[in-house]
Amino acid sequence: MQPLQLPIVFICLLALGQACQDSASTTTTKDWWENAQFYQIYPRSFMDSDGDGIGDLNGITSKLEYLKELGVTAAWLSPIFKSPMVDFGYDISDFFDIQPEYGTLEDFRNLIKKANELELKIILDFVPNHSSDENEWFKKSVKREKGYQDYYVWHDGKVNASTGVREPPSNWLQAFRGSAWEWVEERQQYYLHQFAVQQADLNYRNPDVVAQMKRVLRYWLNEGVAGFRCDAVPVLFEVEPDENGQYPDEGLSGLTDDVDNRNYLKNELIENRPETIDMSYQWRTVMDDYQRIHGGETRVLLIETYAPPAYTMQFYGNRSVEGAHLPFNFNLITVPASSGVSAGSIKTAVDNWLLNMPSGRTANWVIGNHDQRRAASRYGVANTDAMNMLVMILPGASVTYQGEELGMTDGWISWEDTQDPAACNANEDTYEEFTRDPSRTPFQWTSDTNAGFSTAAKTWLPLASDYETVNVAMESAASKSHLTIYKSLIELRKGSKTLQNGATKYAVLNEEAFVVKRYLSGYPIIVYVANLGNASLTVDLQEFDTTLASSLTMEISSLDSQKTEGALIEVSSIALSAGEALVLTSI
Ligand code: GLC
Ligand code: MG
């Protein structure tokens, strides 16, 4: 073949591919997860059924109807497994049993049964990277019991030539401050822990570990779950030791002088390794095989990854292999954190996902979780509806962290009440920089004692101070609230082919307004416009898209907006107050 012909053939193929995709999108029905509204429950803080101040499974079961009313598709639960609760369930001592504070396996089966009756899907948190040091596996590994010797990442460490003192194998740091290596007297070796000392890293270079963790997946699939949110995936593998059996040190990042802070190092050797991507493909095979053998709907994998796009996107799979259904898109969480929320930072976040995502894959949008400050606090209370609208209007799946539908804000937690290991490992003066407790305060159901979350004298974390006005009871009774707006958004999504299958165009207008148009031939256009700045402005949507009709119908507006539902809005001149956001349609 003559070299010059190559590009022409290539361009034709691309053009054909594009045409196929467009026509396919109008006719293909999507699989359940592709347009799903996922809702994250933090079980410890959702609903307490037995008055001990700690949320539990029966509490969740008693509130599944609430999720049904919201209209969400699936709930993903942060860990509910047996755990000493050093990292609130992310330190699992028995992957096959339920934490007694949260209930029993029977309670879990009831939860699934009730969810099935309501046609809600339940997704569990899979914590593959580490187990609790109280796990039987770890205890056996410490004793070098047959079959468990290499279950974890063990190393002799190095003897310092000048002092003769034994030191950790490398300078690696854990996520919650300090060395990632812990000495065990009994075994006379160090083990690796990328998180707390009590969270020992499993050794994925041991095929027994790989097989064991697949057993964990199948065990919960057998209990009827619809898939997994996979925890802390990018840290699954570390670099292999060098030819002398030594682990190389990480280089310095130059980002901070705080030598105990993980960001002090580059973390290139202990994060984002290629082997990790392959492991996620193997888990996908477990999901697909399970469905082939047992039938039922697709079991999904959602991957937790804070990594550069080039790495994150590989989790989707490639032309020859399927990967995770959805690697979480944390761009909306991470971009505004560094530059402040603005139309520009939102556009960057959206670009960074949509322009990097491999074709044929499904996007997703996340604005909060149990590791971040609450969305309303981060983006500003005034932008609550604008942000909830955005994740529902953009293409693909949306993810809500409990309370975002209410506009719940961060609770303030004193040093004495602090629970999170990330904060406890700091000190009284600095803990607020690290703490994740503020977004974990109890869910706000009513204006009553403990916001209706618990009858206990003291809840495991205190309530956020705004619970008397920001809660389900008040917001359901109101004619318009963050909650009613959230529900209308889900309703709109469920009934709209345009939102489900349509194309997407977006831009920044007047520097502070972000606008998104969704369109699909033969169906109404949907336009989202939000003023993310601090002052009023007037936008001309025809400047954004000359093909828009001169007026559109107001479908949903943010809480303080004066525009009425059903009103015709002149698109060439829309005045928006700070935080005002609208969803308009062409009906
Ligand atoms: C994930 C979890 C976080 C936990 C960590 C260790 O990042 O979201 O809460 O502390 O993994 O399991
Ligand atoms: Mg309880």
Side-chain angles (χ1 to χ4, degrees), residues 48-52 54-56 101:
D48 173 20
S49 72
D50 60 0
D52 63 355
I54 296 170
D56 45 52
E101 285 171 318

Side-chain angles (χ1 to χ4, degrees), residues 219-405:
Y219 179 86
W220 293 106
L221 288 173
N222 280 335
E223 292 293 338
V225 306
F228 300 90
R229 173 267 187 185
C230 306
D231 178 77
V233 177
V235 298
L236 213 59
F237 280 86
E238 299 75 32
V239 72
E240 282 189 275
D242 63 21
E243 61 282 5
N244 303 317
Q246 299 302 316
Y247 286 110
D249 279 342
E250 289 278 3
L252 306 189
S253 70
L255 295 174
T256 167
D257 294 335
D258 180 354
V259 295
D260 287 328
N261 186 327
R262 185 171 168 105
N263 291 335
Y264 184 67
L265 302 176
K266 285 186 175 161
N267 301 321
E268 291 169 341
L269 308 171
I270 62 171
E271 284 182 15
N272 306 350
R273 311 294 305 171
E275 298 93 325
T276 301
I277 301 284
D278 175 68
M279 191 54 53
S280 74
Y281 298 168
Q282 295 188 35
W283 298 334
R284 172 64 186 256
T285 304
V286 173
M287 300 298 116
D288 290 352
D289 284 353
Y290 194 91
Q291 188 186 16
R292 237 187 319 274
I293 297 164
H294 301 274
E297 293 185 84
T298 304
R299 313 308 197 278
V300 293
L301 287 179
L302 319 178
I303 301 269
E304 187 204 26
T305 157
Y306 293 89
Y311 189 73
T312 299
M313 294 300 166
Q314 293 179 49
F315 284 110
Y316 273 121
N318 53 47
R319 288 214 181 90
S320 50
V321 60
E322 291 295 323
H325 300 80
L326 302 170
F328 278 132
N329 171 2
F330 291 144
N331 289 353
L332 289 170
I333 291 178
T334 50
V335 173
S338 54
S339 53
V341 65
S342 68
S345 61
I346 296 293
K347 177 164 186 301
T348 307
V350 174
D351 275 345
N352 279 347
W353 198 268
L354 293 183
L355 303 181
N356 287 308
M357 187 173 74
S359 70
R361 302 291 173 180
T362 301
N364 71 96
W365 308 95
V366 191
I367 53 173
N369 59 41
H370 64 294
D371 295 327
Q372 310 293 336
R373 295 307 178 101
R374 284 204 174 100
S377 297
R378 252 180 306 115
Y379 305 112
V381 174
N383 293 322
T384 299
D385 303 313
M387 295 308 292
N388 282 340
M389 286 177 181
L390 182 67
V391 296
M392 297 275 186
I393 296 299
L394 288 169
S398 72
V399 186
T400 300
Y401 176 57
Q402 66 180 43
E404 277 167 10
E405 74 278 25

Side-chain angles (χ1 to χ4, degrees), residues 37 41 70 76 129 132 154 170 235 240 281 318 414 448 496 522:
Q37 292 81 45
I41 290 181
L70 283 183
W76 79 262
N129 179 65
S132 161
W154 293 102
S170 66
V235 298
E240 282 189 275
Y281 298 168
N318 53 47
S414 67
D448 304 332
S496 167

